[in-house]
Amino acid sequence: MAGLPPEVVTEIICRLPVKSLLLFRSVSKSWRSLIDSPGFIYLHLNNSVDTGSNLSLILRKDSELYTVDLDQLNDAVEVTHPLMCYSNRIHVLGSSNGLLCIANVAEDIALWNPSIRKHKVLPFLPVEKNNYGSSLLGARVYGFGYDPVHDDQKLVRISQYIDLDNEGFVSKVKVYSLRANELRDSDDMPYVLCYTRKNGTLASGHLHWVVNRKFKFDEDDLIVAFDLTVESFRELPMPECTEQKFQIDVGVLGGCVCMVANYCDVRVDVWVMKEYGVKESWAKLFTVAQDEVAGGTLKYLRPLAYSKSGEEVLLEQNHGRLVWYDLRRKRVNNVNLGGLPASFESEICVRSLVPVELNREDYLRQQNLGDEKTNGKKR
């Protein structure tokens, strides 16, 4: 690429996969400086997000993690993760900008970029004591995401205490800031979690959970969003569904919030909110009927990603199968991949160069200090 303007070179190589870029770092000092620069890192990330490329499917089975390259749709490969020394199961708390947040049963939590094989173990995040009388800990869930206004990765923890005698609850919220390296209190969440083991779904700078307003089984479910910038909750407007009762779940597809409406043993509808926060932008994307799928009762269906053509949607079915839904032909097709564990939970992760230790401003500051030292030596 000799002779090409630097901006043209940057525009070309920002479209390459991370594996190639890591090799190109050894070509020359100038290439290494370019690829390591914060501006290029985020240009590469934004290009991947905009084009839906450089996506990996992360599969969790007990203490093991597997990865599938969605660009190539190759066989699942087991990967070594930072908490491998523990034999007990781990949990994937979320994915953001190429970083996975994982935890083990001992409450050790690590941020990990599997593409560049770098990780950071977070300081111990103390658990609040139960000072709520006879209340019992009913759930502890997490959410992980990026705050673009403050250029900060944040981990949100919700500890929900239930008072069965009085049908009451309190949901305590704490937020860990990677930038500040501190755990701080946030306002309580005035809702009851419907799923006590489901972590927050990240979309449009918000984390989402399915909740009730009251601790009653006859209450309608709704989706609540936690704004990572202002650190507050709000209800997401729901689509107009006038049919019989159904169970809902929340997901993300192509960067948009989606709602999965499960009419048990009958069908599953998948809705997409095309414009975030706008009720009228909800649209039913597709329906999967019970008799369209193999593998028994359709208990769980989770949208994961669009195909490269945008004509198919990859789905996780019943925590044990992957299928494509053909949007044009309106039918389900099996995904035949080797190496898949018998059962799993899945997470989409973009392959990126984003570091785990430093945010963009810190990285720039470090580079400026390095430049000043170099210039000082030249003098």
Side-chain angles (χ1 to χ4, degrees):
M1 297 185 186
L4 290 176
E7 60 272 16
V8 175
V9 173
T10 301
E11 185 64 29
I12 292 173
I13 67 172
C14 79
R15 304 171 188 272
L16 297 176
V18 172
K19 186 179 293 186
S20 299
L21 293 172
L22 294 178
L23 293 175
F24 288 172
R25 290 177 74 252
S26 60
V27 171
S28 66
K29 289 183 178 179
S30 60
W31 278 65
R32 180 169 185 156
S33 177
L34 169 63
I35 293 170
D36 288 350
S37 67
F40 180 83
I41 288 173
Y42 284 89
L43 179 65
H44 179 267
L45 172 65
N46 291 334
N47 180 74
S48 298
V49 172
D50 291 342
T51 60
S53 58
N54 290 317
L55 294 180
S56 290
L57 180 64
I58 305 297
L59 307 174
R60 182 194 72 84
K61 168 66 174 175
D62 297 329
S63 63
E64 300 168 346
L65 289 179
Y66 301 80
T67 182
V68 175
D69 184 339
L70 289 186
D71 292 336
Q72 305 295 329
L73 265 187
N74 52 7
D75 291 347
V77 177
E78 186 175 355
V79 292
T80 302
H81 60 78
L83 302 180
M84 284 291 289
C85 59
Y86 299 94
S87 59
N88 292 314
R89 69 174 54 200
I90 64 164
H91 299 280
V92 178
L93 305 184
S95 171
S96 172
N97 291 353
L99 304 183
L100 284 175
C101 186
I102 61 176
N104 60 23
V105 294
E107 302 275 357
D108 296 312
I109 300 175
L111 299 186
W112 172 46
N113 185 330
S115 298
I116 60 176
R117 299 180 182 179
K118 300 292 184 181
H119 75 276
K120 172 186 175 67
V121 177
L122 301 187
F124 178 71
L125 307 181
V127 177
E128 53 277 285
K129 295 181 180 179
N130 184 357
N131 297 319
Y132 311 107
S134 60
S135 298
L136 302 174
L137 179 63
R140 177 169 290 127
V141 297
Y142 292 83
F144 176 63
Y146 179 65
D147 169 7
V149 174
H150 301 104
D151 189 27
D152 195 7
Q153 296 284 354
K154 294 180 178 179
L155 178 66
V156 178
R157 184 177 72 197
I158 302 175
S159 300
Q160 184 171 275
Y161 297 89
I162 302 296
D163 184 350
L164 295 175
D165 294 333
N166 300 306
E167 295 187 347
F169 68 92
V170 59
S171 300
K172 307 300 292 185
V173 181
K174 288 185 178 290
V175 178
Y176 171 78
S177 163
L178 181 62
R179 167 189 281 273
N181 192 32
E182 68 176 12
L183 182 69
R184 56 177 177 263
D185 292 324
S186 186
D187 292 339
D188 292 354
M189 182 182 75
Y191 304 96
V192 180
L193 293 164
C194 291
Y195 303 112
T196 58
R197 295 184 179 181
K198 184 172 175 58
N199 293 312
T201 297
L202 176 65
S204 300
H206 295 72
L207 292 166
H208 303 82
W209 286 271
V210 179
V211 298
N212 283 157
R213 293 190 184 93
K214 298 179 181 179
F215 187 59
K216 293 184 178 179
F217 294 107
D218 57 351
E219 283 285 312
D220 290 334
D221 296 343
L222 56 109
I223 298 173
V224 70
F226 181 82
D227 189 320
L228 285 164
T229 297
V230 300
E231 298 184 5
S232 64
F233 289 93
R234 66 168 171 141
E235 295 179 13
L236 211 61
M238 303 291 283
E240 293 292 345
C241 301
T242 58
E243 301 179 59
Q244 69 269 29
K245 286 280 188 177
F246 53 85
Q247 293 180 339
I248 72 170
D249 199 358
V250 61
V252 59
L253 185 61
C256 295
V257 171
C258 65
M259 186 190 81
V260 180
N262 192 335
Y263 299 83
C264 299
D265 301 331
V266 179
R267 73 176 196 273
V268 172
D269 294 342
V270 175
W271 294 72
V272 174
M273 180 178 264
K274 296 183 177 180
E275 185 177 350
Y276 189 78
V278 178
K279 180 183 179 68
E280 294 74 20
S281 72
W282 279 111
K284 187 189 294 186
L285 187 61
F286 61 89
T287 295
V288 178
Q290 170 64 56
D291 58 7
E292 293 183 71
V293 297
T297 304
L298 186 56
K299 296 180 179 179
Y300 178 83
L301 198 68
R302 183 186 181 194
L304 297 172
Y306 287 104
S307 63
K308 285 184 178 181
S309 66
E311 296 181 352
E312 293 179 297
V313 176
L314 183 65
L315 305 169
E316 176 191 338
Q317 178 195 340
N318 295 349
H319 299 297
R321 300 181 70 230
L322 295 173
V323 297
W324 286 112
Y325 183 83
D326 191 317
L327 295 171
R328 186 165 58 88
R329 296 184 175 88
K330 302 185 184 303
R331 68 185 186 190
V332 175
N333 299 313
N334 290 328
V335 176
N336 297 313
L337 295 178
L340 293 178
S343 62
F344 54 82
E345 294 178 353
S346 55
E347 184 81 25
I348 294 293
C349 181
V350 62
R351 295 189 295 278
S352 80
L353 298 163
V354 173
V356 296
E357 286 286 353
L358 299 172
N359 58 46
R360 196 183 321 179
E361 288 186 7
D362 291 336
Y363 202 35
L364 284 170
R365 192 179 302 115
Q366 188 182 63
Q367 281 200 326
N368 290 335
L369 288 173
D371 292 341
E372 290 174 5
K373 290 179 181 179
T374 302
N375 293 334
K377 289 180 180 179
K378 288 181 179 179
R379 294 192 189 99

